């Protein structure tokens, strides 16, 4: 309770007194007092946030209109203030809309939509307008030209903080060289202390928006990021909520607002991924929760001292002896067809037989008669009054339950324990008020718990959680779903508990993930292109996960890695975080993304990681992009992603996918390096050995290239000349097949081909003999041609790393 | 002193180089096959009555850097040995190691003396020429012999005739590195007594044991050098003298006996030339420790491990040794030769040795 509440017995008139100072606060006024919540807490930060709001807006506007974005950001020093100018080539904004878009907080169409966009990330461009007017007192200057407009509209406006309405200072038409687009100019108190964050924001934006051209001009630097693809992000669709993602309050609101009458119609109409079958599954689960299930029992066997027929016979009066007897016998006979029977099944059975009897004997089995008969018959089935006088109640239920419990209990439990559980469970059913034995799973769990505890206490046995849960499961499975129809939408919506049961049922049911066309992942290929554009690295990898769901909002996680090359080798790796293509530059330490990066054992992926945890060291850039209809942030300033387990696990998987590629690259690089080192080493040792051998043996000089190729498991290319004939022999000593493309440049004499599959092209007096072939492991292939003896050759081989190739030609 | 043996040895080495040469020439990878020199790869040769290497081989191949380096070193060493034989000079194993420092290629130089020693052994095995015939001498000198034996030794300074009792001092006759330069002339010896420690040898000489019992006392000095084992074998084979070994009563001394009688694992390729399988162990036996109630030390962990490893050694798998070793493990004690002194300085020569040699049927 807050202090605004008057207290019982407190001083009179306090409430009234307080009421005088209580009034609604305009959203603008609220903002003024809570700038930090929205990312405007300091001059340095305010500038970055303003740029971010303006650029995000511009990108969204362009993409919605299907225009490849071309964005210009300029920061100028203007006396005591900084002037921020952001221009885009978007569709422009109509004259009527301009004041509202820029001069009214929380105005817009994106906030409520279940669709992925950048806008949801911030409070909006109007917050930047407000910040600028609060710090510099200057109005925002907006120029906008729509596609068909001849002139551009020019506004100067501020926000009236009391009413949250735009206050227009200047409104006129003007000329503008851009054919369409929007330009905003703001002056604000700021400083460039956050220059590196600003640069990061722009650079990172360029990485994840390879379709955009972005330019930043600030007092001391000028950065340009060119477009690398014309492919715009796919247009996103708005989706209905997913059943796994709504909360109780939302569900109740939806129940109140829907046009549907039945739950089934409601589920199918208001949610995504729910068809008739899924709706039925949800409703079944809902009925289980709402009504419980009816326990079913095996009908009495002939040796048991109960006689259902006799009980029925006795319960029906005045219907004629024959009719009554046949009714009783037929019900009794029909019971033999059941393994287990629940109360409603028994009632249906009795009803069916009664109908037949009515027809055959022309008597009437009224509802009272039927009810009496069912009650008596059911009591006989469950052995309520077995009359065997042994003082033991519920013999029948006990033996039934014994079989169920025994079936799911491990052989380690002795017979007495099983019997103890069954004996103690039986009266819970037998003595229950609800003679239909209709219970929810929780009630059954409670029965089992009590039975188990009593058994542990009195029989000195142990019956642990797992064993109990097994029994609950078995009993629940033996019970039959209640035949009752589910309550309708209004009934559910009116009752919080029932709504909650429906929600639980929705969550429990397996439902396929929401469609992902509401999401626009960058996709692995473009991530790689984006990284390639901004980082001159040796290796790139990227991965895009399949869509997942958190709280009914689908999300996709993507990861990218760039390694080596010009990337800084000193210090920690750079981690870039993105949400819906917007770079997150603040609160790195509070972000789930950072946590996941730190918890991965990067040593497994051949990266340095001192201590085995934390951000890895060295020449690597890691990026993570989360695309979602609703990214869970830790706070309103939306700088850090919250630690949601589903999200974290997807981030981890995405990163591991990309990291695996990096690992195999590094492994290959390492093995190539070792191969090169080995080759270098052997290339010094073996020739020396060969030379020594020729000295010792007094034999001629040795050529050891063949040996070297064999040792290195290399592909050896050798030229043999025999008069006019040239033979290029390709010997594959490696353990896999080699696809090679041989180009032999012959000068001085025209070659004549002997091989059919090679070709000769003449260029500037040289002949290019080209030949592609595949040589399997351990095989050799020969290219043969004739050429004059005075010919010169220059050979080049494509398709194999240098380390795997020995050319002796 | 260039002889036929020298020419032969040179030939064998050049043949090995030719083999590498041909492997290169055919475009193959040079390799050298060597029997695996471990305990598990020695077997008893029924014909020759000695332990030799089994069938398992390891391959030195130029495929790996370390293999290529070994073959390079082998080639350089072959070159060196061939020249040494040409010039009729000799060098020691240690000299070879230092000499490699002068080789122009770093990769050809030996990293330590074990490496050069092993390589010489490899070359012995592959070329089937003894290192003595390469003119490679070991650093350690051969043993000393004291007893009624006259020999003629070829020295650089001419032949010398020496009686190993009358012509030598208290220290005895020093066996040369290559005992095959010795010729046995005549002797009054009854048997050969190999003694592990210098102290015990001196005791026996001081007590005139060699004189009294016509024994040839050979000082082993720890693990016996090749020359010592060779002369012992020749004394046995050529003079038909029984050979006995007198050592401490611990596992390390059993190995000394083992190397006299069975040959060593490292030089199993030379067993036929070095081993004296008929050599008998006098003691100290574990049984003696009990019987004579000798002063003892407890077995250390490494002693126990060594004993257990001997139980698994194929050369020690006889009833006699299994019984003795198990007894020792049982009592957990060991004794030195000198412990016999607890019964007086003359006990060993007056009582222990005569009793043991009698038991063994030597006396």
């Amino acid at each position: 309770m807050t202090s605004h509440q008057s207290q019982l017995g407190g001083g009179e008139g306090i409430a009234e007194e307080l009421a005088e100072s209580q009034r609604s606060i305009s959203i603008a006024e609220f903002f003024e007092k809570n700038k930090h919540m929205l990312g405007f807490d300091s001059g340095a930060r305010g500038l970055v946030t303003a740029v971010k709001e303006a650029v995000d807006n511009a990108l969204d506007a362009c993409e919605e209109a299907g225009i490849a974005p071309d964005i210009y950001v300029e920061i100028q020093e203007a006396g005591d203030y900084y002037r921020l100018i952001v221009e885009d080539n978007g569709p422009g904004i109509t004259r009527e809309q301009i004041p509202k878009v820029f001069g009214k907080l929380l105005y817009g169409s994106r906030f409520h939509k279940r669709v992925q966009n950048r806008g949801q990330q911030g409070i909006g461009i109007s917050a930047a307008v407000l910040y600028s007017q609060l710090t510099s007192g200057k109005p925002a200057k907006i120029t906008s030209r729509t596609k068909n407009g001849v002139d551009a509209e020019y506004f100067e406006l501020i926000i009236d903080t009391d009413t949250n309405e735009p206050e227009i200072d200047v409104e006129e038409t003007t000329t503008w060289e851009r054919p369409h687009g929007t330009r905003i100019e703001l002056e604000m108190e700021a400083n460039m202390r956050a220059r590196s964050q600003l640069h990061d924001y722009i650079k990172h934006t360029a990485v994840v928006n390879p379709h955009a051209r972005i330019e930043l001009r600030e007092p001391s630097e000028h950065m340009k990021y060119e477009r690398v693809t014309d492919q715009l992000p796919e247009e996103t669709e708005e989706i209905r909520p997913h059943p796994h993602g709504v909360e109780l309050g939302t569900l109740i609101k939806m129940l109140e607002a829907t046009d549907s009458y039945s739950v089934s119609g409601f589920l199918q109409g208001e949610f995504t991924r729910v068809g008739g079958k899924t709706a039925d599954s949800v409703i079944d689960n809902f009925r289980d929760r709402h009504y419980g299930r009816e326990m079913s029992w095996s009908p009495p066997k002939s040796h048991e001292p109960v006689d259902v027929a006799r009980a029925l016979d006795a319960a029906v009066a005045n219907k004629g002896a024959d009719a009554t007897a046949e009714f009783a016998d037929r019900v009794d006979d029909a019971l033999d067809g059941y393994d287990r029977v629940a109360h409603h099944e028994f009632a249906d059975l009795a009803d069916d037989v009664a109908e037949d009897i009515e027809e055959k004997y022309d008597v009437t089995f009224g509802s009272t008669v039927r009810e009496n008969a069912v009650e008596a018959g059911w009591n006989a089935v469950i052995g309520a009054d077995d009359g065997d006088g042994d003082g033991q109640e519920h013999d029948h239920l006990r033996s039934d339950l014994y079989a169920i419990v025994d079936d799911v209990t491990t052989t380690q439990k002795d017979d007495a324990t099983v019997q103890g559980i069954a004996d103690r469970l039986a009266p819970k059913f037998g003595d229950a008020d609800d003679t239909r034995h209709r219970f929810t799973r929780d009630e059954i769990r409670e029965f089992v718990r009590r039975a188990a505890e009593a058994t542990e206490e009195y029989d000195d046995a142990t019956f642990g959680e797992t064993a109990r849960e097994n029994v609950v499961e078995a009993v629940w499975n033996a019970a039959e779903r209640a035949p009752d129809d589910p309550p309708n939408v209004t009934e559910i919506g009116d009752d919080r508990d029932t709504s909650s049961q429906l929600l639980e049922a929705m969550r429990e049911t397996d439902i396929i993930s929401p469609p992902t066309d509401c999401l626009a992942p960058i996709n692995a290929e473009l991530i790689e292109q984006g990284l390639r554009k901004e980082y001159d690295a040796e290796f790139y990898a990227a991965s895009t996960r399949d869509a997942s769901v958190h709280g009914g909002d689908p999300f996709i996680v993507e990861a990218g890695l760039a390694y080596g090359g010009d990337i800084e080798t000193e210090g920690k790796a750079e981690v870039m975080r993105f949400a819906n293509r917007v770079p997150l530059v603040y609160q790195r330490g509070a972000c789930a993304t950072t946590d996941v990066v730190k918890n991965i054992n990067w040593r497994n992926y051949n990266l340095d990681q001192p201590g085995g945890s934390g951000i890895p060291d060295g020449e690597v850039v890691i990026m993570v992009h989360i695309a979602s209809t609703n990214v869970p942030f830790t706070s309103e300033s939306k700088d850090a992603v919250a630690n949601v387990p589903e999200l974290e696990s997807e981030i981890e998987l995405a990163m591991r996918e990309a990291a695996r590629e990096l690992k195999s690259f590094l492994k290959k690089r390492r093995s190539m390096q070792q191969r090169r080192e080995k080759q270098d080493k052997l290339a010094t040792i073996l020739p020396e050995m060969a030379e020594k051998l020729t000295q010792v043996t007094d034999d001629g000089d040795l050529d050891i290239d063949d040996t070297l190729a064999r040792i290195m498991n290399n592909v050896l290319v050798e030229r043999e000349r025999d008069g006019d004939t040239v033979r290029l022999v390709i010997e594959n000593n490696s353990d896999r097949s080699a696809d090679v493309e041989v180009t032999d440049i012959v000068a001085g004499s025209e070659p004549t081909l002997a091989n059919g599959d090679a070709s000769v092209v003449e260029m500037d007096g040289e002949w290019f003999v080209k030949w592609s072939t595949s040589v399997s492991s351990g095989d050799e292939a020969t290219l043969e041609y004739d050429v004059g003896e005075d010919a010169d050759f220059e050979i080049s081989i494509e398709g194999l790393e240098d380390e795997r190739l020995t050319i002796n030609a | 002193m260039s002889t036929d043996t020298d020419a032969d040895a040179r030939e064998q080495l050049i043949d090995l180089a030719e083999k590498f040469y041909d492997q290169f020439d055919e475009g193959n990878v040079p390799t050298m096959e060597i029997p695996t020199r471990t305990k598990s790869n020695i077997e008893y040769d029924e014909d020759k009555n000695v332990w030799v290497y089994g069938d398992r081989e390891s391959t030195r191949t130029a495929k790996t850097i370390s293999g290529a380096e070994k073959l390079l070193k082998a080639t350089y060493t072959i070159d060196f040995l061939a020249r040494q034989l040409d010039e009729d000079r000799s060098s020691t194993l240690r000299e070879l190691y230092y000499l490699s420092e002068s080789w122009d290629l770093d990769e050809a130089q030996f990293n330590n003396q074990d490496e050069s020693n092993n390589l010489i052994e490899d070359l012995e095995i592959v070329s089937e020429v003894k290192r003595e015939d390469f003119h490679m001498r070991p650093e350690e000198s051969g043993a000393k012999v004291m007893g009624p034996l006259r020999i003629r030794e070829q020295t650089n300074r001419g032949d010398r005739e020496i009686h190993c009792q009358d012509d030598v001092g208290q220290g005895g006759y020093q066996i040369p590195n290559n005992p095959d330069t010795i010729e046995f002339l005549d002797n009054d010896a009854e048997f050969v007594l190999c003694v592990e420690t210098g102290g015990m040898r001196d005791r026996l000489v001081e007590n005139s044991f060699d004189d009294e019992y016509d024994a040839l006392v050979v000082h082993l000095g720890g693990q016996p050098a090749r020359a010592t084992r060779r002369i012992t074998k020749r004394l046995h084979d050529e003079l038909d003298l029984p050979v006995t070994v007198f050592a401490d009563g611990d596992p390390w001394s059993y190995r000394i006996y083992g190397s006299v009688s069975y040959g060593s694992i490292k030089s199993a390729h030379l067993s036929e030339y070095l081993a004296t399988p008929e050599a008998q162990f006098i003691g100290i036996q574990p049984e003696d420790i009990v019987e004579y109630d000798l002063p003892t030390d407890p077995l250390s962990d490494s002693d126990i491990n060594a004993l257990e490893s001997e139980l698994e050694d194929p050369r020690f798998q006889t009833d006699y040794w299994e019984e003795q070793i198990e007894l020792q493990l049982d009592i957990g004690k060991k004794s030195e030769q000198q412990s016999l002194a607890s019964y007086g300085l003359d006990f060993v020569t007056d009582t222990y040795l005569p009793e043991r040699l009698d038991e063994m049927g030597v006396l």
Side-chain angles (χ1 to χ4, degrees), chain A residues 472-494:
Chain A
V472 172
E473 181 73 23
V475 172
W476 181 250
N477 286 339
E480 294 283 340
R481 185 163 284 136
D484 310 44
D485 288 330
N488 67 34
V489 166
T490 331
E491 287 161 359
I492 299 172
D494 287 347

Side-chain angles (χ1 to χ4, degrees), chain A residues 677-678 681-682 684-686 688-690 692-697 699-704 706-707 710-711, chain B residues 14 17-18 20-21 24-30 62-65 68-69 71-72 75-76 78-79 105 107:
Chain A
E677 277 166 13
K678 182 176 169 187
K681 192 91 183 167
L682 291 180
T684 36
I685 294 175
L686 296 184
E688 292 284 349
M689 179 175 167
K692 209 54 159 181
L693 286 171
T694 57
Q695 282 175 24
V696 176
T697 58
D699 291 328
D701 279 351
L702 274 174
D703 174 5
I704 61 166
D706 289 16
T707 302
R710 215 159 264 171
I711 289 173
Chain B
I14 303 294
E18 289 279 6
F20 294 150
Y21 183 95
F24 268 128
D25 202 34
E26 286 156 20
N28 289 325
V29 180
K63 255 185 191 154
T64 64
I65 292 179
E69 280 180 354
L71 294 184
L72 176 74
T75 309
Y76 268 73
I78 288 172
D79 181 46
L105 195 66
E107 283 83 355

Side-chain angles (χ1 to χ4, degrees), chain A residues 166-180:
Chain A
E167 211 177 285
I168 299 162
D169 290 351
V170 179
E171 178 180 1
E172 59 190 36
T173 56
T174 178
T175 54
W176 196 29
E177 71 277 18
R178 284 200 190 249
H180 51 83

